[in-house]
């Protein structure tokens, strides 16, 4: 159900390719960790060197990019036009370390109160430690001393464990409790951190939470049986699809399913969709797809080895032009990039802006300029919006492939049944639940049985057994209640957060909730003209914990 648990199902393959390219170029640069201009500066400023220390071995830098105007490179072409690609957000004065999390959205709406909504993948232990590190950064560097948690109500007192004199035993105990699903990242953080007092407050409405918990249990109790019935029904429909549908339609349907299940990369999935669009796709209504296509086209024009060399040369040229303060800033920015504290797009845009300010001739840096535009366009893509746009476009392409009504009827039924599988497995996104709410009454056990029988007879496909259609279609309403109850809690969660912030005199709050709450909370914050930031922690590892 959590968005953070599903992010690799979007465009991970493209991102991995980009990261591999960057790692390769960084490895090349790391082989030569001395730059003549910087070495000369080091000899002139030994005292400052003691402050900045080890950093100048950092001019390691990454790879790629450029553009041109009338055949000549122009610095301004390193970045897309603002009107063409608006930034993802108007960033409040809070920087999230790139290695810990990614800002999905941030808006300033006036006032000095900011709610930082941290999306939690509850069942992932790695996600909990990522959130702990993110909280540590926010508390250390900003005015954060208030953490709001879903799933509990009122002030959360962790003093009993926190006052235990042996810190190592205290931390080991907290790790055990968090691993067993008995402690949240917020509780772990307040127990193991001594430096600053942080308020931990449960912002859920107890009655609504209990109702949501009961609806969860009702779904969970029948989940295994319902999913088994659905899988057998899907197998029957797969047999029908092999006979009824044309080869192009079967290929498109299979690629869509494999991509959703993580068996097919986004790149290969997109190639298949685009193949059946026959190059005639109109993407004017698909802004994120436009960005993706532009980044692909730019990538084809880049000589990455030359971009890597050009970057090193630019840093050397900058080192000869900058004053002491400017060079120190360049060094620190380079160190931050080396440590993955800032993104590749931010770092390369920083270099380009610095070169433009210093009136450096862009003629010698065409590939670096292209690469900077490349990563800037790529970084501006809203991944989940891209995913939805591709699904919409896929449906449009599929509509052009239908040769008869049976193909469409079978696909529509299979899509709903697949959605119900995710419903009973509690894996729905907000868009999935909206689709079911809008369409599930169009399907029922009796009509499904009639359609399956009719198609099996018509196309001479054996009718399989072993599934009960009442187990598939019979309890959609109770299952949907779990998602409806979760959405009802959003108002209470946000209202309680703001009220307690004001009561405690806090200006910044970290609100930790499951990803399913994010869309509803974001809409409410917009309606109430609150300043907010939505943050998706980064984490690796598949170790799960009870939740």
């Amino acid at each position: 159900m959590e968005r953070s648990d599903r992010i690799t199902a979007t465009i991970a393959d493209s991102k991995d390719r980009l990261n591999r390219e960057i790692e390769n170029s960084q490895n090349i640069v790391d082989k030569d960790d001395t730059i003549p201009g910087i070495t000369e500066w080091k000899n002139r400023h030994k005292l400052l060197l003691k402050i900045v220390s080890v950093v100048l071995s950092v001019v390691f830098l990454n790879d790629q990019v450029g553009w041109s105007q009338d055949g000549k490179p122009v610095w301004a072409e390193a970045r897309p036009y603002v009107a063409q690609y608006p930034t993802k957000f108007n960033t409040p004065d809070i920087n999230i370390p790139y290695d810990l999390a990614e800002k999905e959205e941030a808006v300033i709406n006036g006032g000095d109160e900011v709610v930082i909504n941290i999306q939690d993948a509850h069942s992932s232990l790695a996600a909990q430690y990522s959130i702990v590190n993110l909280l540590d950064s926010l508390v250390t560097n900003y005015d954060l001393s208030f953490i709001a948690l879903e799933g509990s109500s009122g002030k959360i007192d962790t003093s009993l464990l926190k006052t235990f004199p042996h810190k190592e035993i205290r931390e080991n105990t907290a790790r055990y409790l968090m691993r067993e699903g008995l402690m949240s990242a917020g509780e772990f953080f307040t127990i193991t951190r001594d430096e600053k007092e942080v308020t931990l407050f449960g912002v859920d409405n107890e009655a609504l939470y209990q109702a949501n918990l009961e609806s969860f249990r009702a779904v969970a109790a029948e989940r295994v049986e319902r999913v088994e019935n659905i899988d057998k029904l899907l197998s029957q429909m797969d047999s029908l699809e092999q006979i009824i549908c044309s080869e192009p339609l079967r290929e498109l349907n299979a690629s869509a399913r494999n991509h959703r299940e993580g068996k097919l990369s986004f790149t290969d999935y997109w190639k298949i969709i685009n193949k059946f669009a026959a190059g005639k796709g109109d993407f004017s209504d698909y802004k994120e797809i436009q960005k993706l296509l532009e980044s692909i086209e730019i990538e084809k024009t880049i000589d990455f080895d030359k971009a890597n060399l050009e970057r090193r040369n630019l840093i050397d040229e900058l080192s000869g032009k900058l004053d002491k303060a400017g060079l120190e800033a360049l060094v620190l920015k380079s160190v931050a990039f080396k440590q993955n504290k800032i993104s590749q797009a931010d770092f390369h845009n920083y270099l380009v802006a610095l070169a433009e300010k210093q009136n450096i001739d862009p003629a010698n840096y065409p590939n670096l300029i292209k690469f900077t535009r490349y990563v800037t366009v790529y970084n501006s893509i809203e991944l989940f919006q891209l995913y939805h746009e591709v699904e919409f476009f896929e449906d449009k392409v599929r509509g052009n492939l239908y040769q008869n009504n049976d193909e469409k009827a079978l696909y529509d039924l299979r899509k709903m049944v697949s959605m119900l599988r995710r419903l009973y497995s509690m894996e729905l996104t907000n868009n999935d639940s909206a689709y079911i709410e809008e369409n599930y009454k169009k399907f029922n056990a009796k009509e499904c049985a009639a359609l399956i029988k009719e198609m099996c007879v018509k196309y001479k496909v054996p009718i399989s057994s072993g599934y009960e259609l009442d187990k598939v279609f019979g309890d959609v309403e109770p299952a949907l209640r779990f998602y409806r109850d979760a959405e009802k809690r959003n108002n209470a969660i946000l209202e309680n957060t703001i009220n307690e912030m004001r009561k405690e005199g806090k200006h910044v709050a970290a609100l930790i909730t499951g990803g399913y709450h994010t869309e509803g909370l974001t809409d409410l914050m917009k309606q109430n003209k609150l300043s907010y930031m939505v943050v998706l922690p980064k984490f690796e590892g598949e170790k799960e914990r009870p939740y």
Side-chain angles (χ1 to χ4, degrees):
M1 184 178 71
E2 309 305 334
R3 295 175 71 192
S4 43
D5 292 338
R6 298 188 307 273
I7 192 158
T8 54
T10 54
I11 100 176
D13 182 69
S14 299
K15 210 163 198 174
D16 287 345
R17 186 179 69 250
L18 183 59
N19 289 336
R20 286 196 299 271
E21 291 165 357
I22 290 169
E23 286 175 6
N24 290 339
S25 66
Q26 182 171 322
N27 290 337
I28 294 172
V29 184
D30 282 341
K31 293 178 182 178
D32 181 8
D33 62 356
T34 60
I35 300 296
I38 291 181
T39 304
E40 182 181 344
W41 177 86
K42 287 163 61 178
N43 293 331
R44 293 199 311 266
H45 300 286
K46 292 183 179 179
L47 180 60
L48 181 61
L49 177 62
K50 291 180 180 179
I51 301 172
V52 181
S53 75
V54 194
V55 276
L56 252 280
S57 52
V58 295
V59 184
F60 46 78
L61 314 174
N62 264 74
D63 40 68
Q64 6 314 315
V65 193
W67 210 252
S68 64
Q69 182 170 307
D70 296 329
K72 298 178 181 179
V74 179
W75 289 122
E77 290 297 336
R79 297 176 296 276
Y81 297 113
V82 174
Q84 185 179 4
Y85 295 124
T87 55
K88 291 182 181 179
F89 37 71
N90 301 315
T91 311
D93 190 23
I94 296 177
N95 293 314
I96 301 297
Y98 185 70
D99 60 330
L100 295 181
E102 182 175 351
K103 290 182 186 176
E104 287 199 319
E105 184 178 0
V107 173
I108 298 176
N109 279 320
D112 58 353
E113 294 173 336
V114 178
V115 176
I116 304 172
N117 183 201
I118 301 174
Q119 297 182 44
D120 188 2
H122 297 298
S123 62
S124 169
L125 183 60
Q128 305 311 304
Y129 285 113
S130 180
I131 293 172
V132 169
N133 292 330
L134 177 57
L135 290 172
D136 185 63
S137 174
L138 292 170
V139 169
T140 301
N141 299 306
Y142 302 100
D143 184 27
L144 176 65
S145 57
F146 182 80
I147 300 173
L149 301 179
E150 70 161 315
S152 58
S153 302
K155 191 166 184 178
I156 301 171
D157 186 3
T158 59
S159 60
L160 182 62
L161 274 175
K162 189 170 183 178
T163 54
F164 197 80
H166 299 289
K167 187 173 183 179
E168 183 178 353
I169 296 177
R170 187 203 321 164
E171 289 186 357
N172 287 339
T173 302
R175 289 180 189 280
Y176 169 79
L177 292 172
M178 190 160 72
R179 184 172 65 247
E180 294 302 310
L182 301 173
M183 179 177 288
S184 69
E187 292 168 309
F188 180 93
F189 174 75
T190 58
I191 289 169
T192 58
R193 181 184 173 89
D194 297 323
E195 290 79 0
K196 182 178 178 180
E197 191 65 32
V198 176
T199 299
L200 198 62
F201 195 83
V203 292
D204 235 313
N205 177 288
E206 185 174 356
L208 291 176
Y209 178 78
Q210 288 299 326
N212 204 182
L213 183 60
E214 290 307 315
S215 59
F216 169 84
R217 287 172 174 160
V219 177
E222 303 289 334
R223 176 169 51 189
V224 173
E225 185 178 10
R226 295 189 187 286
V227 169
E228 286 178 352
N229 276 273
I230 288 174
D231 285 343
K232 291 174 182 177
L233 175 58
L234 289 173
S235 178
Q236 171 76 86
M237 287 189 280
D238 287 343
S239 299
L240 284 168
E241 184 180 85
Q242 293 301 313
I243 303 300
I244 295 174
C245 297
S246 65
E247 183 176 346
L249 187 57
R250 293 199 306 271
E251 183 179 356
L252 179 62
N253 290 344
S255 69
R257 291 195 290 268
N258 288 335
H259 172 62
R260 181 176 279 276
E261 295 169 5
K263 299 175 182 177
L264 185 70
S265 71
F266 178 87
T267 301
D268 291 337
Y269 168 54
W270 174 251
K271 286 179 181 177
I272 291 171
I273 294 174
N274 215 22
K275 176 176 74 173
F276 293 122
K280 299 176 183 178
D282 177 10
F283 301 110
S284 58
D285 294 330
Y286 305 98
K287 302 304 180 186
E288 304 309 315
I289 291 180
Q290 287 183 47
K291 295 179 193 178
L292 176 65
L293 295 178
E294 180 176 350
S295 68
I296 291 172
E297 289 306 308
I298 298 172
E299 183 182 27
K300 296 175 183 177
T301 71
I302 302 168
D303 185 321
F304 291 103
D305 290 334
K306 288 182 179 178
N308 182 59
L309 179 62
E310 289 170 13
R311 181 178 42 254
R312 294 166 60 191
N313 291 340
L314 176 59
I315 290 178
D316 188 30
E317 188 171 354
L318 283 168
S319 70
K321 289 179 174 289
L322 295 172
D323 59 17
K324 181 171 66 174
L327 189 52
E328 181 181 353
L330 173 60
V331 167
L332 295 176
K333 187 72 75 170
S334 298
V335 171
F337 180 63
K338 178 77 170 179
Q339 296 175 341
N340 200 31
K341 300 295 184 183
I342 60 174
S343 71
Q344 53 203 321
D346 287 343
F347 181 69
H348 286 84
N349 274 305
Y350 168 80
L351 289 180
V352 165
L354 199 57
E356 193 170 15
K357 184 177 180 180
Q358 294 295 322
N359 296 315
I360 291 178
D361 186 355
N364 295 322
Y365 305 102
N367 287 281
L368 179 62
I369 292 172
K370 288 179 182 179
F371 176 67
T372 304
R373 184 181 180 94
Y374 171 47
V375 294
T376 300
V377 173
Y378 184 90
N379 193 60
S380 73
I381 295 173
E382 298 283 358
L383 298 185
F384 288 100
Q385 182 60 32
L386 172 67
Y387 186 79
H388 295 318
E389 287 184 2
V390 171
E391 281 193 327
F392 292 142
F393 187 69
E394 174 200 310
D395 285 341
K396 185 177 179 180
V397 171
R398 180 179 289 105
N400 293 330
L401 293 178
Y402 288 139
Q403 295 180 343
N404 56 61
N405 291 333
D406 287 347
E407 289 179 329
K408 184 178 187 308
L410 180 63
Y411 175 78
D412 289 344
L413 177 59
R414 197 190 194 289
K415 181 176 181 178
M416 176 53 68
V417 172
S418 297
M419 286 285 188
L420 294 179
R421 189 187 194 285
R422 293 198 289 277
L423 170 68
Y424 296 128
S425 300
M426 288 170 283
E427 297 174 346
L428 291 185
T429 65
N430 295 83
N431 285 337
D432 289 342
S433 60
Y435 177 86
I436 293 178
E437 290 277 13
E438 183 178 348
N439 294 284
Y440 79 95
K441 291 183 179 178
K442 301 174 185 176
F443 302 88
N444 58 56
K446 183 177 180 180
E447 291 179 1
C448 176
L451 181 63
I452 294 291
K453 182 178 180 180
E454 178 187 342
M455 287 186 173
C456 285
V457 171
K458 181 177 180 179
Y459 293 97
K460 297 181 173 56
V461 174
I463 299 177
S464 60
S465 60
Y467 56 85
E468 298 179 46
L469 292 177
D470 284 339
K471 295 290 185 181
V472 177
F473 296 97
D475 287 305
V476 177
E477 273 287 338
L480 281 173
R481 191 175 302 127
F482 167 71
Y483 293 92
R484 293 169 184 162
D485 288 345
E487 290 170 4
K488 288 178 184 177
R489 291 164 51 205
N490 291 336
N491 274 302
I493 287 172
L494 183 59
E495 182 178 353
N496 290 337
T497 299
I498 298 302
N499 288 343
E500 193 62 25
M501 282 178 69
R502 292 170 180 171
K503 179 180 175 181
E504 295 276 334
K506 307 296 185 181
H507 299 287
V508 182
L511 172 58
I512 305 174
T513 65
Y516 190 81
H517 293 283
T518 298
E519 187 173 333
L521 288 171
T522 300
D523 289 342
L524 289 172
M525 287 188 284
K526 288 177 181 175
Q527 292 169 21
N528 288 277
K529 300 189 182 305
L530 293 171
S531 295
Y532 67 89
M533 182 187 298
V534 178
V535 178
L536 181 66
K538 296 180 178 179
F539 59 93
E540 295 180 355
E542 298 180 356
K543 186 173 182 178
E544 294 192 351
R545 63 180 192 143
Y547 177 70

